[in-house]
Amino acid sequence: MISVENGVFKLDTPNTTYLFHIMETGHPVHLYYGPRLAETGDLAAYPTGTNLRMPTFVNYSDAAPRLYMTLPLLETSSWGKGDLRQGAFAGELGPSGEIVFDFTFSDWRIESADTTHTSHLPAARKDHAQTLVLTLSDKPTGVVMELRYTVYEDSDMMVRSCAVINNSREPLTIRSLASLQLDIPETDFEAITFNGGWARERTVTRAPLTVGTFGIASNAGSSSAEHNPLFLLSGRQGCYLFNLLWSGDHRETIEVTPYDTIRVLTGLNPEGFSRLLNPGERFDAPEALMAYTAGDENEASHISHDFISRYITPLAWKNRERPVLLNSWEGMGLDLSEENIIRQAASAKELGVELFVIDDGWFRPGLHAIGSLGDWEPVKNKFPDGMKRTVDAIHDMGMLAGIWVEPECISIDSDLYRAHPEYLVRSPGRDPSPGRDQYLLDYTRDEVVDLIYEKLEKLIAENGFDYVKWDMNRYFSDDHAPNVRGGEFRFRWMLGVYRLLDRFTRRFPDLLLEGCSSGGSRFDPGMLCYANQIWGSDNTDATDRVPIFSGTSCGYPQCCFGAHVSRIPNEITGRVYDYETAFNVNAFGAFGYELDVTKLNETERRMFSDQIAFYKENRALLQFGKFTRVEDGDEVIWTVENEDASKLIAFYLEKRAGVFRHRIHRLVVPSCRSDALYRVTARRQWITAPGMCERRGGPHLSESFERTVPGALLRRNGMALMPVFLGTEYKEDTAFLGDYGSRLFLIEKIA
Ligand code: DGJ
């Protein structure tokens, strides 16, 4: 996978090659990243930018008068030797704050085993992998930079990271350190980023690149709903995908130079960050992910889905089907008691639900989400004898039991605050800023990590919970902790949380952990190292979930995406759609319900039971199948397929009834095999629209639809759908869709 010859480093994944060499000056220069190369040929043939002549540029040195550091494609970069682009590293050394650094080759080695070098940072597993460690140093000062490249036998994803070791005699302040730098000699790309806010997380933004710097960043203290660290560069020559294993602030920049090159940097956000390294100390930046495919965005996301499932998320739930859950939040609010929970759980069990999740409220005496954060004791007025009896009752019904916690925050009105006001993060002399009436707990302190660990350990072990929803409902402010330098606060804080997550998940390796942050405000590969799934969004309106899921699926596998059917009309948007579309959308995720199931009418109960039965029957495919976005306009088509494309499920949705009436409705499924014959059947779902019910005397099952279809037709022209109701005839084979009408199609190979 990794070979090194005459200063040329060749890193091969199954389908790609990454190539760089060490120039005479000692700088690692990037040669190539693209489809796999059998032979490398002449190095002089690679467009590295080392042969352009410009009068305004600074010559690197007398010995290398023709080298202008702003032109070459470099593996790393710093300030002060003529590179005018944004650098991967910036620092200040010694009392005078020297800022010139120039890292050149010292050494290299290959690590083969899973020698995860930084247990305090989330890390991808490194089995079936080799890691190239390239050591560079700034010769006059002795400051060392380590570039790490991990290449896998069976994945086109590469893991990159970077460390700085202060081998000088002076203290070094790191101002910025990107985890990954990639310089490439082409610029014709669209940058695809995933942005939004609360209740509209990770929706797709496409920006054609032009000369200048395009960037996104999070200053929230969290990877944030505003800008996810995932991004893609998509162009005629293929697609690059990047991500970062970090759940705090991050910055991604794509700099298009006037010399037809691009520099990509991703890593910690330098704003609000600095790190003091005393002589002998080392600092590791988080790991970054990088993939290239000659294919399109779907191909890039397949690489990412596969990698996250095999090398990032905890192994105990790898390929293990996620239970259908009922979460108490939207249905019961904070009105929780043993009796209420058991009533809901019993009703949910009849529908086929497998996991009951007790959300916020079990530790707060009142009916508002205020107070008691940090205490993590069941409150007496709701659970006079604790929660064990409730959990046992759920278990006795044959269901799993889950609990909600928010371990990173503290309320002023809590026993924890009364005992330890110093644990609340505040900046000296200022009133701390509340977020949702709560404050940050000081995770830079080991005693806070230990204390919260003990409380959580007791809660889970004593009551026997099988699942935990780990929420975090505010962004950062008032960055300060005693004995921690201001610029180090957020980094050290996040490490404290990771330490807690690490210890907690080691203690309960079988527990299913679901991350959450006011919905999906912290959805990143760092969290996914500990949590197998993350709640997708507080926006449970199925029609709004479509763009949220389409965006999320560009980088994250569907089994990681918590997806629930909630009450209609929707609580946030007030929108009315039907429960079958709500199911069809959310079936592409870690599925559940979030509403008062005791209030369902008879038709809804039959409908939900049918949905759950269908989901369970097809769950392996829905959760772990290869996911593809086919259409994403007024019609939406998603598909999942098994390994040999002999079984697929397609989702078809029409956003606005009537818009397409004069078009041929068709289902295009590019993942079908051209040479195969398929049987396509539509899931029969309940039609409850009043006008249709009048025509048929009440709620009824949708049209029966079965076709035998050649794979080549499904791939190319698409299969004609059933006739859609046009206002006059409503026959046995007519489909009623309406606004946001949808169907699921089962596609099975028969020959
Ligand atoms: C925010 C989450 O996203 C919701 O699902 C719910 O758990 C609330 N917090 C509870 O406070």
Side-chain angles (χ1 to χ4, degrees):
M1 289 184 287
I2 298 178
S3 56
V4 187
E5 248 175 68
N6 302 328
V8 179
F9 294 79
K10 184 165 182 276
L11 287 69
D12 290 316
T13 72
N15 300 295
T16 69
T17 292
Y18 187 96
L19 204 63
F20 65 89
H21 81 133
I22 308 296
M23 279 197 299
E24 274 170 22
T25 53
H27 297 95
V29 164
H30 182 79
L31 296 167
Y32 174 83
Y33 185 29
R36 187 163 168 154
L37 302 178
E39 301 293 337
T40 48
D42 291 334
L43 293 193
Y46 291 84
T48 56
T50 45
N51 58 359
L52 197 68
R53 307 283 176 252
M54 294 286 272
T56 47
F57 288 164
V58 172
N59 304 337
Y60 175 64
S61 66
D62 281 345
R66 297 292 177 142
L67 179 64
Y68 312 100
M69 290 309 287
T70 204
L71 293 175
L73 308 177
L74 297 170
E75 291 296 310
T76 187
S77 55
S78 48
W79 182 266
K81 294 303 287 177
D83 189 348
L84 310 179
R85 295 164 287 190
Q86 206 172 89
F89 170 81
E92 289 177 15
L93 188 69
S96 59
E98 296 303 321
I99 57 173
V100 176
F101 291 89
D102 185 24
F103 293 98
T104 54
F105 179 78
S106 289
D107 203 0
W108 64 272
R109 65 179 189 278
I110 291 175
E111 293 174 355
S112 289
D114 189 353
T115 45
T116 301
H117 55 292
T118 50
S119 57
H120 57 283
L121 281 168
R125 286 182 288 278
K126 308 281 186 313
D127 35 340
H128 313 288
Q130 285 186 324
T131 300
L132 169 69
V133 185
L134 187 73
T135 309
L136 313 173
S137 67
D138 181 53
K139 303 290 181 303
T141 63
V143 174
V144 166
M145 179 178 288
E146 205 177 87
L147 302 181
R148 304 177 70 90
Y149 304 78
T150 301
V151 191
Y152 291 78
E153 258 168 37
D154 52 5
S155 172
D156 287 324
M157 188 68 87
M158 280 173 64
V159 177
R160 304 253 326 245
S161 64
C162 181
V164 168
I165 304 140
N166 184 7
N167 284 348
S168 82
R169 296 208 181 121
E170 317 265 25
L172 168 71
T173 302
I174 301 175
R175 295 264 173 243
S176 74
L177 180 63
S179 299
L180 168 156
Q181 170 171 318
L182 177 69
D183 286 359
I184 44 176
E186 44 181 333
T187 60
D188 192 9
F189 290 107
E190 190 174 55
I192 305 174
T193 51
F194 302 90
N195 310 298
W198 176 75
R200 56 183 176 92
E201 301 90 341
R202 296 172 303 287
T203 48
V204 173
T205 309
R206 292 174 181 274
L209 292 180
T210 177
V211 174
T213 302
F214 174 84
I216 53 162
S218 169
N219 284 335
S222 145
S223 52
S224 90
E226 281 68 17
H227 305 289
N228 197 266
L230 170 73
F231 65 107
L232 281 74
L233 295 183
S234 179
R236 276 178 298 119
Q237 306 277 14
C239 191
Y240 297 89
L241 177 144
F242 306 89
N243 212 333
L244 190 68
L245 278 76
W246 185 246
S247 310
D249 291 349
H250 56 90
R251 185 178 76 176
E252 291 70 33
T253 57
I254 304 156
E255 182 175 352
V256 180
T257 71
Y259 306 102
D260 291 336
T261 64
I262 285 185
R263 169 164 295 172
V264 174
L265 294 172
T266 185
L268 296 172
N269 187 348
E271 198 172 347
F273 168 84
S274 66
R275 176 58 178 247
L276 176 69
L277 281 192
N278 285 314
E281 287 181 342
R282 168 189 179 108
F283 177 74
D284 281 277
E287 292 186 344
L289 304 179
M290 172 177 94
Y292 166 81
T293 167
D296 61 7
E297 294 153 31
N298 271 313
E299 304 275 341
S301 49
H302 294 157
I303 298 170
S304 182
H305 289 195
D306 175 67
F307 186 81
I308 287 177
S309 307
R310 286 193 297 138
Y311 293 108
I312 300 275
T313 45
L315 288 172
W317 281 86
K318 181 179 164 196
N319 296 337
R320 189 155 145 205
E321 294 180 17
R322 312 289 158 79
V324 175
L325 66 80
L326 177 72
N327 179 297
S328 65
W329 179 244
E330 287 199 27
M332 302 173 73
L334 291 96
D335 191 9
L336 301 173
S337 65
E338 186 174 325
E339 196 192 329
N340 285 354
I341 289 171
I342 291 174
R343 192 165 1 101
Q344 286 286 332
S347 176
K349 172 69 188 170
E350 283 172 14
L351 299 172
V353 168
E354 299 161 307
L355 160 65
F356 188 91
V357 179
I358 304 170
D359 206 282
D360 193 351
W362 57 271
F363 59 97
R364 311 204 210 231
L367 295 182
H368 300 289
I370 295 178
S372 309
L373 290 175
D375 292 347
W376 308 123
E377 283 287 340
V379 74
K380 288 267 181 270
N381 62 330
K382 294 179 182 171
F383 299 94
D385 303 314
M387 297 183 94
K388 180 85 169 81
R389 260 208 333 245
T390 311
V391 174
D392 287 349
I394 295 171
H395 283 157
D396 289 346
M397 290 180 217
M399 283 194 285
L400 303 171
I403 188 85
W404 177 98
V405 289
E406 191 177 358
E408 297 158 57
C409 287
I410 181 168
S411 308
I412 298 265
D413 182 11
S414 67
D415 292 341
L416 180 62
Y417 182 74
R418 285 182 278 275
H420 289 288
E422 74 281 13
Y423 288 175
L424 184 147
V425 169
R426 67 174 87 226
S427 156
R430 300 169 215 279
D431 288 336
S433 300
R436 210 202 191 208
D437 288 309
Q438 60 198 56
Y439 302 85
L440 296 175
L441 253 178
D442 185 357
Y443 268 88
T444 67
R445 296 171 188 251
D446 287 342
E447 68 269 31
V448 167
V449 176
D450 293 343
L451 182 79
I452 299 296
Y453 171 80
E454 278 151 29
K455 285 173 184 259
L456 295 183
E457 201 275 344
K458 177 166 172 274
L459 175 72
I460 307 306
E462 277 186 0
N463 294 298
F465 286 109
D466 312 283
Y467 159 109
V468 164
K469 179 173 170 192
W470 184 295
D471 205 347
M472 166 51 166
N473 282 298
R474 60 159 294 164
Y475 286 160
F476 277 44
S477 65
D478 303 284
D479 308 37
H480 173 83
N483 308 320
V484 172
R485 289 163 52 87
E488 302 189 9
F489 173 78
R490 291 189 178 196
F491 187 84
R492 290 188 185 279
W493 189 95
M494 201 65 238
L495 290 191
V497 172
Y498 284 142
R499 232 175 11 253
L500 175 63
L501 278 161
D502 185 53
R503 202 166 153 200
F504 181 73
T505 50
R506 279 177 204 276
R507 167 70 179 87
F508 301 106
D510 239 18
L511 182 131
L512 178 58
L513 188 66
E514 176 151 357
C516 176
S517 177
S518 294
S521 300
R522 197 170 62 181
F523 203 118
D524 58 70
M527 278 315 286
L528 287 171
C529 286
Y530 310 95
N532 278 88
Q533 56 195 56
I534 299 178
W535 176 223
S537 177
D538 273 351
N539 188 342
T540 52
D541 178 326
T543 70
D544 283 350
R545 277 287 180 132
V546 171
I548 295 174
F549 179 69
S550 278
T552 307
S553 70
C554 290
Y556 302 96
Q558 63 273 20
C559 59
C560 293
F561 184 83
H564 303 170
V565 169
S566 68
R567 193 165 67 97
I568 299 171
N570 183 266
E571 291 209 355
I572 295 180
T573 63
R575 197 171 286 140
V576 177
Y577 42 93
D578 78 60
Y579 279 124
E580 293 289 28
T581 280
F583 170 73
N584 293 344
V585 170
N586 287 298
F588 290 80
F591 176 70
Y593 293 88
E594 195 159 331
L595 75 180
D596 184 343
V597 284
T598 64
K599 295 204 175 118
L600 297 175
N601 64 33
E602 216 174 288
T603 310
E604 289 162 351
R605 291 192 74 80
R606 281 185 72 180
M607 190 191 285
F608 284 24
S609 304
D610 290 353
Q611 293 173 350
I612 294 175
F614 177 89
Y615 185 75
K616 287 179 180 169
E617 212 172 297
N618 296 288
R619 160 162 58 187
L621 186 55
L622 287 163
Q623 292 183 353
F624 306 114
K626 195 199 259 187
F627 178 87
T628 301
R629 291 164 306 279
V630 183
E631 282 287 331
D632 216 346
D634 284 329
E635 284 169 302
V636 177
I637 300 175
W638 300 332
T639 63
V640 279
E641 72 199 73
N642 66 359
E643 269 176 21
D644 59 357
S646 60
K647 188 168 177 194
L648 302 93
I649 295 177
F651 164 73
Y652 174 91
L653 175 135
E654 179 176 289
K655 286 190 184 159
R656 285 168 57 213
V659 171
F660 296 103
R661 285 194 179 154
H662 303 296
R663 288 181 49 193
I664 304 170
H665 286 75
R666 60 182 124 191
L667 181 73
V668 183
V669 186
S671 351
C672 284
R673 293 274 156 89
S674 291
D675 55 356
L677 190 66
Y678 290 92
R679 183 179 46 240
V680 183
T681 46
R683 179 178 85 89
R684 297 196 72 185
Q685 56 190 50
W686 286 90
I687 303 293
T688 51
M692 301 300 114
C693 288
E694 274 166 29
R695 286 178 163 84
R696 290 276 169 83
H700 51 278
L701 283 177
S702 58
E703 71 292 341
S704 79
F705 177 89
E706 182 173 330
R707 302 277 188 276
T708 300
V709 195
L713 182 68
L714 276 161
R715 282 175 69 95
R716 286 169 50 89
N717 304 17
M719 173 198 76
L721 293 181
M722 49 275 192
V724 174
F725 177 65
L726 290 175
T728 49
E729 293 186 324
Y730 188 49
K731 297 193 193 147
E732 286 304 309
D733 67 346
T734 313
F736 172 74
L737 285 178
D739 271 1
Y740 283 93
S742 65
R743 290 289 183 275
L744 292 183
F745 294 92
L746 213 54
I747 305 173
E748 287 159 299
K749 183 173 169 223
I750 49 175

